[in-house]
């Protein structure tokens, strides 16, 4: 493309990509649908290729549209970074950080982190939504959030890990369970009792996969769930064993309602809580400040986990 691209026009394209139709993009942007359509047609004319397939149920990116979308995401995120840096030069503390995080962080980790962020940078707005670890990479690559917090992600070409904390994976049970007094347990110990297992969209399932294959057909599985909150509550009600780190169980462990017994294999099993950005993403001032606080919080929690 030889003509200059305005951020607002690029935003029209990105909204159609996100919401799948010109009408919905226009509604979200509070502009006329004809204005959005004109801009899409202009982009397609400049590129010389269609950027969207016009389907009966909406708009879908073509291969050329996928290439253009990657450029649009980079341009729009760089615009946010530039605006944040201009504010910093003016001595202002304004900005916005959007993140996508795993559900278990909602119990204690994120409330503590957001409280610290609000005290230190009261002008920065935080937007948070929840997803399973394995669905977070695609959301970050698509520009749907600035930052992702996820457990034990495999290497992803579109992401960069900027911070990490390592935490022991354990068998979680009520204090009246026969294994509750053990200093550590193996998966072999646990399979003698009813289990609540994570479904495939949770990273814990990936960590347990070798053991699940080994004991396939021999497990008494009461439920397989995609929610750590549901897993915790089922453990409390049914007295079965579940598997996770101590993160997300803070209140129940402190109150003595649940016990976390470290899980051993060839050695201690650990899960990584990582902080991820889109590959090549430059950090705006607000995002850089937030990442620094996350690093501090992870370091603090790692020490507490090792001492528990």
């Amino acid at each position: 493309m030889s003509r200059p691209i305005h951020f607002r026009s690029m935003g029209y394209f990105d909204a159609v990509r996100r919401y799948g139709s010109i009408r919905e993009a226009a509604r979200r942007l509070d502009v006329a649908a004809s204005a959005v359509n004109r801009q899409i047609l202009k982009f397609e004319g400049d590129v010389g290729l269609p950027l969207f397939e016009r389907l009966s149920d909406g708009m879908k990116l073509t291969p050329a549209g996928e290439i253009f979308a990657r450029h649009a995401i980079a341009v729009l995120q760089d615009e946010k970074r530039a605006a944040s840096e201009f504010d910093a030069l003016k001595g202002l503390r304004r900005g916005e950080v959007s993140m996508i995080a795993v559900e278990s962080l909602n119990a204690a980790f994120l409330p503590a982190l957001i409280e610290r962020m609000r005290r230190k940078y009261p002008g920065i707005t935080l937007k948070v939504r929840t997803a399973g670890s394995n669905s977070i990479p695609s959301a970050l690559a698509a520009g749907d959030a600035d930052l992702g917090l996820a457990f034990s992600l495999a290497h992803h070409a579109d992401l960069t890990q900027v911070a990490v904390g390592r935490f022991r994976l354990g068998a979680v049970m009520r204090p009246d369970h026969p294994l509750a007094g053990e200093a550590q347990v193996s998966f072999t110990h646990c399979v003698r009792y009813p289990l609540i297992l994570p479904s495939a969209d949770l990273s814990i399932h990936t960590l347990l996969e070798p053991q699940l294959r080994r004991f396939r057909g021999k497990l008494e599985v009461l439920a397989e769930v995609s929610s750590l909150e549901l897993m915790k509550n089922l453990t409390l009600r049914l007295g079965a064993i579940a598997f996770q780190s101590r993160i997300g169980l803070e209140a129940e462990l402190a109150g003595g309602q649940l016990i976390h017994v470290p899980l051993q294999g060839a050695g201690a099993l650990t899960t990584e809580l990582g902080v991820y950005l889109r590959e090549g993403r430059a950090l705006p001032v607000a995002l850089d400040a937030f990442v620094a606080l996350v690093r501090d919080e992870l370091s603090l929690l790692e020490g507490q986990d090792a001492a528990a």
Side-chain angles (χ1 to χ4, degrees):
M1 294 180 66
S2 58
R3 301 178 187 177
I5 298 173
H6 297 290
F7 291 131
R8 180 181 298 177
S9 301
M10 189 70 81
Y12 289 176
F13 168 85
D14 192 58
V16 177
R17 174 188 72 83
R18 287 172 181 269
Y19 305 120
S21 79
I22 287 175
R23 185 180 298 277
E24 181 60 17
R27 188 183 73 80
R28 299 281 187 130
L29 295 170
D30 195 24
V31 298
S34 58
V36 176
N37 187 53
R38 268 197 312 274
Q39 191 57 61
I40 298 301
L41 293 173
K42 178 181 180 299
F43 281 153
E44 290 180 324
D46 290 344
V47 172
L49 291 167
L51 300 177
F52 290 96
E53 291 182 50
R54 274 73 170 173
L55 306 173
S56 58
D57 58 348
M59 308 272 281
K60 179 183 176 183
L61 287 172
T62 63
E66 295 281 0
I67 294 171
F68 193 76
R70 290 195 292 272
H71 174 61
I73 291 166
V75 167
L76 292 170
Q77 290 188 333
D78 283 348
E79 179 202 11
K80 286 178 64 177
R81 178 176 61 85
S84 178
E85 289 176 354
F86 286 141
D87 285 344
L89 287 173
K90 296 174 186 175
L92 300 177
R93 289 193 169 184
R94 293 192 292 115
E96 178 182 295
V97 174
S98 62
M99 75 189 87
I100 181 167
V102 290
E103 179 190 38
S104 59
L105 302 185
N106 294 340
F109 181 88
L110 281 178
L113 190 62
I114 292 170
E115 181 184 14
R116 289 181 64 197
M117 189 72 177
R118 290 294 301 168
R119 283 202 308 265
K120 193 166 184 179
Y121 305 103
I124 294 176
T125 301
L126 299 172
K127 294 185 176 182
V128 187
R129 67 186 180 96
T130 299
S133 282
N134 292 340
S135 62
I136 286 176
S138 59
L140 290 177
D144 293 339
D146 297 318
L147 171 147
L149 290 158
F151 282 105
S152 296
L153 287 186
H155 174 73
H156 196 289
D158 292 329
L159 302 186
T160 297
Q161 186 187 78
V162 293
V164 66
R166 293 173 178 84
F167 303 94
R168 290 177 298 175
L169 194 63
V172 180
M173 61 199 76
R174 293 193 319 212
D176 58 355
H177 194 280
L179 296 180
E182 300 294 327
Q184 60 187 40
V185 293
S186 67
F187 197 82
T188 304
H189 290 128
C190 296
V191 298
R192 302 168 188 165
Y193 302 94
L195 303 177
I196 299 164
L197 295 179
S199 60
D201 55 338
L202 294 179
S203 63
I204 298 172
H205 182 277
T206 305
L207 293 173
L208 295 176
E209 180 64 28
Q211 298 293 342
L212 296 176
R213 286 198 306 269
R214 178 185 171 196
F215 290 98
R216 184 167 288 134
K218 302 176 183 179
L219 305 177
E220 183 183 352
V221 180
L222 301 189
E224 184 175 303
V225 300
S226 62
S227 163
L228 292 178
E229 182 73 14
L230 177 57
M231 190 184 300
K232 175 181 71 177
N233 289 327
L234 288 175
T235 304
L236 286 167
R237 286 179 176 269
L238 301 179
I241 295 176
F243 303 96
Q244 68 177 93
S245 71
R246 299 173 68 88
I247 294 176
L249 304 173
E250 292 87 354
E252 290 76 17
L253 294 175
Q257 298 165 276
L258 290 175
I259 303 293
H260 181 275
V261 183
L263 194 61
Q264 296 290 122
L269 296 180
T270 60
T271 180
E272 290 188 350
L273 177 56
V275 183
Y276 298 91
L277 303 175
R278 181 176 58 80
E279 174 65 27
R281 175 78 195 277
L283 271 64
V285 174
L287 183 55
D288 189 43
F290 186 74
V291 168
L293 286 183
V294 178
R295 287 195 185 105
D296 290 345
E297 193 72 16
L298 286 174
S299 179
L300 175 66
L301 287 181
E302 271 190 320
Q304 294 174 346
D305 187 70

